[in-house]
Amino acid sequence: MCQVFYIILKNEFNLFMGKYFYLFLIGFLLNPYFINCQSVHGEVIYAQSNNWSKIASLMPYLNQEEKDRIQMSWGKSGGYTEKMKLLFNDSLSHYTYVRDDKGEESNWSYKKLSYEIYRNYLDQTSFDRMDLLGKIYIVKDKIQKRKWKIVGEIKEVGGYVCMKAETYDTIKNQKIIAWFTDKILVPLGPAEFGGLPGLILEININDNASSIIAETINLDKIVKINSPKTKGKLISHEKYQGIVKTYIQDCIERRRNPFWDLRY
């Protein structure tokens, strides 16, 4: 895992040139995983919650009366929670559904759709297998770097002190807040989020329209990550994002919520 530490430090140097970089560097050098050059591996179970009434009310084609009607019809309970699992070892990570989850979302049809997020941190490649509009896409590319901004806030998530980072997704029109800990020095996170100097334990999208929060963190578990399935249409990250952007624009023009068929 020392190779991964080096990659993190090199790739994120410019991001942390200010005071946050030096705070991170001190923590990095004092971290027992770095000192002992130990392997880092484990399993994190996340709970992802989507508030569909809030997601729907954020659609730009709705007027205020229509938004109020949605809130009255669905109320605060217009959503559900699903369990997701992140596995990681010295060089690889895999994020997908908890297959034996008995939660309320198990009856939703999209649960059957493909959603496999792989990362190889030795060669910095991503391999994502995702279902979109009835097709399975294999999105294979270099790991994409989000433009994170670290802000001076901390809070506890899952027993770990976490720092706050923010970014913005211009395609989905989402303000994204991440809470990450430098006590677990892996550049990982739930879904397609990562690239921070520590494990992301919480994601908040558009003020709780969607959230992903770590429930259990097991760093003692030795994990085996199987090779990804290769059935699907091979495509680059840029081309996949182009498909998503066009689909969202078409749905908005037709006054249809694109996130009924697209992961929020």
Side-chain angles (χ1 to χ4, degrees):
M1 205 61 174
C2 294
Q3 293 166 294
V4 175
F5 291 156
Y6 171 75
I7 291 170
I8 298 171
L9 196 57
K10 182 178 72 171
N11 289 350
E12 305 303 325
F13 181 85
N14 291 333
L15 181 62
F16 294 93
M17 279 298 289
K19 61 181 179 179
Y20 296 118
F21 172 77
Y22 294 105
L23 288 172
F24 160 68
L25 182 58
I26 292 171
F28 184 93
L29 294 175
L30 294 177
N31 191 291
Y33 288 115
F34 179 75
I35 294 171
N36 299 322
C37 202
Q38 296 176 350
S39 295
V40 180
H41 47 74
E43 175 188 82
V44 182
I45 302 298
Y46 292 90
Q48 177 164 353
S49 301
N50 292 330
N51 186 324
W52 284 109
S53 61
K54 188 159 191 175
I55 292 172
S57 67
L58 290 173
M59 293 298 103
Y61 53 79
L62 296 177
N63 59 39
Q64 190 58 50
E65 182 180 349
E66 291 171 316
K67 293 178 181 180
D68 292 341
R69 192 180 306 124
I70 289 173
Q71 292 295 332
M72 290 179 62
S73 299
W74 291 6
K76 295 182 179 180
S77 62
Y80 64 89
T81 300
E82 63 180 336
K83 305 293 185 184
M84 308 295 291
K85 176 170 62 177
L86 173 68
L87 300 176
F88 58 93
N89 60 26
D90 281 2
S91 57
L92 303 172
S93 69
H94 176 218
Y95 181 84
T96 190
Y97 304 110
V98 174
R99 295 297 178 184
D100 58 351
D101 180 21
K102 304 300 182 182
E104 59 189 297
E105 78 286 349
S106 60
N107 293 324
W108 291 72
S109 60
Y110 94 94
K111 178 79 171 179
K112 302 176 183 178
L113 302 183
S114 297
Y115 189 68
E116 309 273 342
I117 307 298
Y118 288 87
R119 297 289 181 266
N120 185 319
Y121 286 90
L122 293 184
D123 62 16
Q124 288 289 285
T125 56
S126 61
F127 187 102
D128 302 337
R129 189 170 187 266
M130 298 182 285
D131 199 306
L132 178 63
L133 305 180
K135 294 182 179 180
I136 296 178
Y137 289 94
I138 303 294
V139 185
K140 186 176 181 180
D141 215 320
K142 289 293 184 181
I143 295 176
Q144 303 300 305
K145 298 178 182 178
R146 293 179 182 269
K147 295 181 179 179
W148 291 105
K149 177 183 178 182
I150 310 298
V151 297
E153 296 182 36
I154 61 172
K155 76 170 186 177
E156 184 177 306
V157 181
Y160 290 85
V161 175
C162 294
M163 292 183 65
K164 183 179 180 181
E166 298 177 347
T167 190
Y168 195 83
D169 186 328
T170 57
I171 292 178
K172 292 184 176 180
N173 194 27
Q174 295 173 339
K175 180 181 179 181
I176 300 162
I177 294 174
W179 294 92
F180 70 96
T181 177
D182 62 359
K183 300 304 180 185
I184 307 175
L185 282 174
V186 290
L188 310 175
E192 295 127 87
F193 300 106
L196 285 165
L199 180 64
I200 298 172
L201 297 182
E202 179 175 332
I203 289 288
N204 186 304
I205 302 174
N206 282 345
D207 192 24
N208 286 315
S210 182
S211 64
I212 312 174
I213 303 174
E215 289 192 331
T216 62
I217 304 163
N218 184 354
L219 300 181
D220 296 321
K221 184 170 184 175
I222 305 298
V223 302
K224 178 181 179 181
I225 298 177
N226 297 321
S227 298
K229 298 177 182 178
T230 57
K231 183 179 180 181
K233 179 179 176 59
L234 187 63
I235 193 171
S236 68
H237 175 80
E238 182 179 2
K239 289 185 177 179
Y240 181 79
Q241 289 298 100
I243 293 172
V244 171
K245 182 178 181 179
T246 299
Y247 173 68
I248 291 175
Q249 290 174 342
D250 289 346
C251 285
I252 298 301
E253 289 176 3
R254 300 198 308 267
R255 293 178 57 85
R256 184 178 184 276
N257 186 343
F259 298 106
W260 293 131
D261 301 306
L262 176 67
R263 272 191 91 84
Y264 195 70

